[in-house]
Amino acid sequence: MDSFMETMEQGVLGHLMALERGGMGRQKQHDSQRSETLKARAVTLRAKRDQLKHHTDVVKTLKDKIVKGLPLRDEDAAADGFVELQKSLLTAWRMQLKDLQRAHHLIGGYDLVECKDGKSACVSFHTAFEGVRLETYSVELDLTRAVQISRHNVPPSFPLESLAKRTLQKDLKAFLQTLSQNLNALAARRRQVCLLKELVGSVEVMESNQLCSVLVLMCTAQSEAPKAVLCTLEYGDLAQCLPTRVSIECEDKVLSGSPQWKKNQSLLLESPAHTALLTMRRMGSIS
């Protein structure tokens, strides 16, 4: 009986050990299969990561070229995502232009209209001075690639190209606002020259350039003996209609350095030229 029980115990233990060995074998096989699956998935994910990184680099390169207006190679135009990138940039620029168009109703200064099915935009800049409407300038922007100026009627002497290089690609809103301010200041300076020429008396416009950034006036000072006074107005800030520097010259150094003409110099710095000269005439400084 004892031998029978021992035999039974050995059989049961052997069976349990066999089951345990079989379970361990299946676990090892399962672990091995799972490891292979994970390795294969890791390889696939790395490949997708590299492909995505390459695509991102290509798109970034294309975007930089388009924004900077650099020429594209044939392989660039054929690159995956180029057409989608062009469409997205065009959409973004159109949305920005629509925002600017709505903002115009609040801030004024220019009108913006889409044309050529949204591939370009025409911007009209209205100028005025002292309540009088002056010239209107127009600029057409090409939106098909980088934002570029295709046509305009801005005076050739105006630094439009340098202004566009500084701000057009970086900030369209800032470019339009700066251009509007500069054109309005130009129109205001030109208007002042016209008003000065209409003044009846001893004020003569001796010199003025196309940008009206320098204005030389000859005045006749009221005194016992009439004396010529040369007033030179320099407009260092083209976004403003007032001079940044005024110099007074006269053969009579005592006259040009007198308190009265120091006051006249301040008037020319702080007021439009024609207004300052009318004030100087009322004060008896000039005839």
Side-chain angles (χ1 to χ4, degrees):
M1 186 68 177
D2 293 338
S3 60
F4 176 75
M5 291 299 294
E6 289 177 359
T7 302
M8 286 292 292
E9 289 177 358
Q10 292 176 357
V12 172
L13 290 173
H15 182 65
L16 290 174
M17 292 176 65
L19 289 174
E20 185 177 356
R21 286 195 296 271
M24 292 178 63
R26 286 193 296 270
Q27 182 65 34
K28 288 182 179 179
Q29 183 180 3
H30 176 71
D31 291 344
S32 177
Q33 291 176 348
R34 180 173 176 78
S35 177
E36 293 298 326
T37 302
L38 291 175
K39 288 180 181 179
R41 187 174 181 183
V43 171
T44 303
L45 290 175
R46 287 194 195 98
K48 288 183 177 180
R49 179 201 63 188
D50 295 340
Q51 184 180 7
L52 180 61
K53 184 176 183 299
H54 173 71
H55 178 76
T56 302
D57 292 340
V58 170
V59 170
K60 184 178 183 299
T61 301
L62 289 173
K63 184 176 180 181
D64 290 342
K65 286 186 175 182
I66 292 173
V67 170
K68 294 177 181 178
L70 299 177
L72 297 175
R73 301 171 299 177
D74 293 339
E75 52 267 34
D76 290 333
D80 184 29
F82 174 73
V83 176
E84 290 75 10
L85 177 61
Q86 267 196 317
K87 289 180 179 179
S88 64
L89 288 175
L90 179 58
T91 301
W93 284 324
R94 289 181 65 185
M95 290 177 64
Q96 187 177 6
L97 288 173
K98 285 182 179 294
D99 290 339
L100 293 175
Q101 192 173 18
R102 287 192 291 268
H104 163 71
H105 296 292
L106 299 176
I107 62 174
Y110 57 84
D111 289 324
L112 190 150
V113 179
E114 284 188 31
C115 51
K116 298 180 182 178
D117 297 326
K119 295 181 180 179
S120 65
C122 184
V123 189
S124 298
F125 299 89
H126 308 293
T127 63
F129 179 67
E130 294 185 337
V132 178
R133 187 162 181 170
L134 303 173
E135 297 87 353
T136 296
Y137 300 103
S138 297
V139 175
E140 183 177 343
L141 300 175
D142 182 6
L143 308 177
T144 53
R145 286 192 176 180
V147 182
Q148 296 178 346
I149 298 174
S150 55
R151 294 185 299 174
H152 67 85
N153 67 341
V154 176
S157 58
F158 187 88
L160 180 61
E161 185 177 349
S162 61
L163 179 61
K165 286 182 179 179
R166 288 199 307 270
T167 59
L168 180 57
Q169 303 298 335
K170 298 177 182 178
D171 191 338
L172 179 58
K173 181 180 178 181
F175 169 74
L176 295 177
Q177 289 179 340
T178 303
L179 180 56
S180 176
Q181 187 177 10
N182 278 261
L183 288 174
N184 202 71
L186 171 61
R189 294 193 300 272
R190 284 183 168 183
R191 177 63 176 169
Q192 290 179 60
V193 173
C194 293
L195 293 174
L196 286 170
K197 291 179 178 179
E198 293 175 1
L199 286 178
V200 178
S202 56
V203 178
E204 183 180 356
V205 178
M206 302 296 293
E207 182 182 344
S208 178
N209 58 7
Q210 291 185 336
L211 279 178
C212 296
S213 59
V214 176
L215 182 60
V216 181
L217 306 174
M218 181 69 75
C219 306
T220 302
Q222 281 191 350
S223 60
E224 294 180 359
K227 298 176 181 178
V229 179
L230 199 66
C231 304
T232 303
L233 286 65
E234 299 177 25
Y235 298 82
D237 185 356
L238 296 181
Q240 302 297 326
C241 63
L242 295 180
T244 54
R245 184 174 182 272
V246 173
S247 60
I248 307 294
E249 299 176 63
C250 181
E251 290 183 356
D252 186 347
K253 303 301 180 182
V254 176
L255 177 68
S256 59
S258 66
Q260 182 59 51
W261 276 94
K262 292 293 183 182
K263 185 176 181 180
N264 293 339
Q265 186 178 28
S266 298
L267 275 173
L268 289 167
L269 280 168
E270 298 168 359
S271 307
H274 64 289
T275 302
L277 288 169
L278 286 173
T279 303
M280 290 163 60
R281 179 178 291 176
R282 285 196 298 269
M283 294 189 309
S285 296
I286 59 175
S287 57

